[in-house]
Amino acid sequence: MQRLLMEKLIAWKENPDKKPLILQGVRQCGKTYLLQEFASRYYEDVFYCKFDEDKSLADFFEPNLTPQRIIKDMSLFRDKDIKPQKTLLIFDEIQSCGKALTSLKYFCEDAPEYHIIAAGSLLGVAVPKGTSFPVGKVEFLTLFPLNFYEFLLAQNEMLANHLKDSPPRDIVWQTFRSQLEEKYRDFQVVGGMPEVVQSWIDHKSIEKVEKIQNQIITSYENDFAKYAPISYFPKLSAIWNAIPSQLAKENRKFIFSQVKKSWRAKDLEDALEWLIRSGLVYKIEVIEKPYIPISAYADHTYFKLYMCDVGLLRRVANLPSSVLFAKTDNYREFKGAMAENFVCCELKRLYKENIYYWTAQGSGKAEVDFIIQDDAYIIPIEVKAGTASHARSLLQYCQKYNPEKSVLTSLDHDKESILPLYAFWNLKEWLKNK
C-alpha cells in the first residue's frame, strides 16, 4: 500500500544534516508498516525495537545514554553490527520508554551518523513523567490515515496517477466522474485506516470492515484507560462518543453541557485537550475576522470537533453503510457532517494547524465551514455534501470580505468554480489556477 509520506522519508534519508526523526500518528494509521517498507527499500539492514511489547529493550538505555555504548550493546544483542548510514534503527512506540526518547538528543549531538526513526502513537499524552524531551534535536513527520487519493491509489494505481498529473478541470476528471463518486461513497464507509482499507480491497465485505473498525475503536478506548489519568477516563469516552451527535446539529458547534448535563466546560477541558494532543480529534475554532495572522482572531472557547477518520466517525455514530450505498437522503443532516469531516481530514494533512471556521457576528445562520491561511491568502471553504452549486454563507462572506480566492466543494462537476469532493485532495493545485 503506497503512502505519500514515503517521499518525505526519502528526503530525510538523503539530507546530510538530518536529525533523528520522530514519526507521529494515531494508533493503527500505518506507521510501523511504512517504516518497515522504507527500511526494506532503502537500507541494507534494520534493527526494529517495539518498546510497548518487549520491556527488556529498555535495558539498552539503563546504564547511561552514551550512543556508542548503546550501539555496541545492541550489536552484541543481535549478533550483528549496526552500521552508520546502512542500518536503520526503528524505535517503535517510543513513548513507552522515556530514556530511549531522551537518548535521541545524544544521538543527534554525538553520533549523527546513525540513522534513527522513532514512532509514537501517543507522544503528546503518554510520555513518562521525568522524561527529558529532545527539544530541537529531532525532526518530526506526521502520518495520517489514508486520504482519498491514497485510497484510490490502493485500488486503481493507473487512474490515481493519471489524476495526479491532470488539473482538476481536465477532461479525465469528467470522464471518470461516476467511478470517482462511487469511490468517494466507499471511502465514507471504509475510511482511511490501512487495515480496514486492505480488508475492503481484498473482500469487499462490510461485515469485515466494521469488525476491524470496531477493534480500532476499542483499542482507542483501551488507551483512554491505559494512558490517561484515571479521572479522565469517563470524560474521554463521553466526549469521543458525543462527537457524532454534536456534528449532527445544524451549526455543528461543540457544547460541553450536551455531553452530560452535570458537566461544564471546566470539568471537560483537560480530557478534551488529551484527545486533541493524541491526534484522535481535530478542534476547529471559530474566527471573528479573516485577517492575518489568522490564529490571532480565533475564539478558543467556540469550536467544532471532528474525528481523525471519517470511517470511524460513521461507526461511532452507528450509521448503517446501507444508507450511503442506497443513495437515500434520509440522513440529510448527518450527510453534511460526514462531508465536513472528510474535508477536515484532508485539510489537516495539507495545512496542519491553520484551519478555522467563520460565523457571521450577530447571526447564527451564516457560517463558512472552513477558513484556511495559505501563505498570504485567507481562503474560505464551503462544503456541500450533495450536488449543490450555490452556497449562501460563502456568498455572504465574499460580499463582506472580498477574498481573492474562495472554494466551494460538492459533488457537482458542471461548473468550473466548484472543486469536486473527490478532487479535494488536489486543493493546492486547484488553487494555483484560481
Side-chain angles (χ1 to χ4, degrees):
M1 191 173 292
Q2 297 184 51
R3 303 303 305 269
L4 297 178
L5 202 70
M6 180 69 81
E7 295 178 5
K8 293 185 177 181
L9 291 176
I10 296 169
W12 171 82
K13 180 181 186 298
E14 295 175 348
N15 179 10
D17 299 319
K18 74 174 64 61
K19 301 175 182 178
L21 176 65
I22 292 180
L23 180 63
Q24 302 178 103
V26 295
R27 192 178 299 283
Q28 299 191 52
C29 71
K31 297 183 299 298
T32 300
Y33 173 87
L34 177 62
L35 291 181
Q36 291 178 336
E37 185 72 12
F38 174 59
S40 67
R41 290 188 194 180
Y42 300 103
Y43 285 87
E44 293 181 7
D45 182 31
V46 59
F47 181 43
Y48 176 72
C49 303
K50 190 167 186 180
F51 291 104
D52 65 335
E53 290 187 357
D54 188 349
K55 303 298 182 182
S56 68
L57 293 170
D59 294 342
F60 290 125
F61 305 89
E62 282 303 323
N64 56 60
L65 298 181
T66 304
Q68 288 73 20
R69 183 203 57 77
I70 294 172
I71 292 296
K72 183 196 70 173
D73 287 356
M74 286 182 170
S75 298
L76 289 171
F77 171 80
R78 68 198 294 258
D79 197 25
K80 187 177 182 181
D81 289 342
I82 293 174
K83 300 177 181 179
Q85 303 180 21
K86 295 184 178 180
T87 301
L88 177 63
L89 294 169
I90 299 177
F91 294 169
D92 204 357
E93 299 297 351
I94 198 171
Q95 75 275 359
S96 297
C97 183
K99 289 187 177 180
L101 182 59
T102 302
S103 75
L104 300 182
K105 172 180 184 293
Y106 301 100
F107 274 100
C108 176
E109 294 176 342
D110 304 328
E113 66 273 18
Y114 291 100
H115 292 198
I116 302 176
I117 301 180
S121 301
L122 295 165
L123 273 172
V125 293
V127 174
K129 291 183 178 180
T131 297
S132 176
F133 199 90
V135 178
K137 304 298 180 180
V138 293
E139 302 175 41
F140 292 92
L141 286 175
T142 301
L143 182 67
F144 296 95
L146 278 76
N147 75 340
F148 183 71
Y149 172 74
E150 290 172 315
F151 179 75
L152 187 61
L153 188 65
Q155 300 174 82
N156 191 331
E157 184 175 351
M158 182 178 295
L159 175 58
N161 287 332
H162 196 20
L163 293 173
K164 187 177 182 181
D165 295 332
S166 304
R169 301 313 311 177
D170 191 274
I171 188 63
V172 67
W173 292 88
Q174 183 66 35
T175 302
F176 291 96
R177 175 178 178 175
S178 60
Q179 184 176 341
L180 291 168
E181 287 184 359
E182 178 184 346
K183 294 300 183 186
Y184 168 74
R185 180 204 62 195
D186 291 351
F187 188 76
Q188 288 197 311
V189 174
V190 176
M193 290 297 176
E195 186 180 0
V196 182
V197 173
Q198 192 61 59
S199 176
W200 177 250
I201 293 171
D202 293 342
H203 307 290
K204 292 294 188 295
S205 167
I206 295 298
E207 290 184 3
K208 292 180 183 296
V209 160
E210 294 188 346
K211 180 179 180 180
I212 299 170
Q213 288 174 328
N214 290 341
Q215 291 170 348
I216 292 173
I217 292 168
T218 298
S219 74
Y220 289 167
E221 293 172 344
N222 289 340
D223 283 343
F224 298 165
K226 182 176 181 181
Y227 293 108
I230 295 176
S231 62
Y232 284 16
F233 178 70
K235 300 174 185 178
L236 291 168
S237 296
I239 294 171
W240 173 255
N241 288 298
I243 291 175
S245 62
Q246 302 249 7
L247 285 178
K249 298 181 303 182
E250 185 176 357
N251 66 6
R252 321 270 198 240
K253 178 191 174 187
F254 193 87
I255 300 174
F256 284 111
S257 62
Q258 292 185 6
V259 175
K260 187 176 180 180
K261 289 184 178 180
S262 61
W263 285 342
R264 293 172 293 177
K266 68 176 184 179
D267 301 315
L268 295 172
E269 284 174 345
D270 288 344
L272 174 58
E273 184 62 25
W274 193 98
L275 286 170
I276 294 168
R277 290 171 59 196
S278 72
L280 292 174
V281 304
Y282 301 143
K283 181 184 181 185
I284 307 298
E285 298 172 349
V286 73
I287 58 166
E288 297 178 357
K289 300 175 183 178
Y291 301 144
I292 294 177
I294 194 171
S295 59
Y297 298 91
D299 182 347
H300 305 304
T301 66
Y302 198 106
F303 57 88
K304 298 184 286 187
L305 290 183
Y306 297 97
M307 289 189 171
C308 62
D309 178 70
V310 70
L312 295 185
L313 171 65
R314 184 189 67 83
R315 282 307 298 145
V316 174
N318 198 28
L319 178 68
S321 61
S322 58
V323 174
L324 289 91
F325 277 77
K327 298 184 179 180
T328 62
D329 202 35
N330 61 358
Y331 76 114
R332 181 168 49 192
E333 291 184 355
F334 202 71
K335 183 178 182 179
M338 291 284 288
E340 282 186 32
N341 208 121
F342 168 81
V343 168
C344 182
C345 291
E346 295 284 349
L347 287 174
K348 287 296 289 187
R349 177 191 295 264
L350 295 171
Y351 294 96
K352 296 183 173 60
E353 303 304 323
N354 288 321
I355 310 170
Y356 300 86
Y357 76 106
W358 173 84
T359 58
Q361 293 184 1
S363 171
K365 293 184 178 180
E367 177 178 301
V368 175
D369 299 314
F370 298 100
I371 307 289
I372 59 172
Q373 181 176 333
D374 187 342
D375 195 20
Y377 295 104
I378 301 296
I379 303 172
I381 301 172
E382 183 74 2
V383 182
K384 296 297 181 183
T387 56
S389 58
H390 301 286
R392 286 186 296 177
S393 292
L394 183 62
L395 177 61
Q396 182 174 330
Y397 176 97
C398 292
Q399 290 174 340
K400 184 177 180 64
Y401 296 108
N402 193 30
E404 295 184 56
K405 300 182 179 184
S406 63
V407 179
L408 173 59
T409 182
S410 75
L411 287 178
D412 197 324
H413 198 111
D414 296 330
K415 294 187 177 181
E416 291 189 3
S417 59
I418 297 175
L419 176 63
L421 283 162
Y422 50 76
F424 196 85
W425 56 271
N426 210 10
L427 173 66
K428 288 198 171 186
E429 185 64 30
W430 189 79
L431 287 171
K432 289 179 183 178
N433 300 314
K434 285 280 286 182

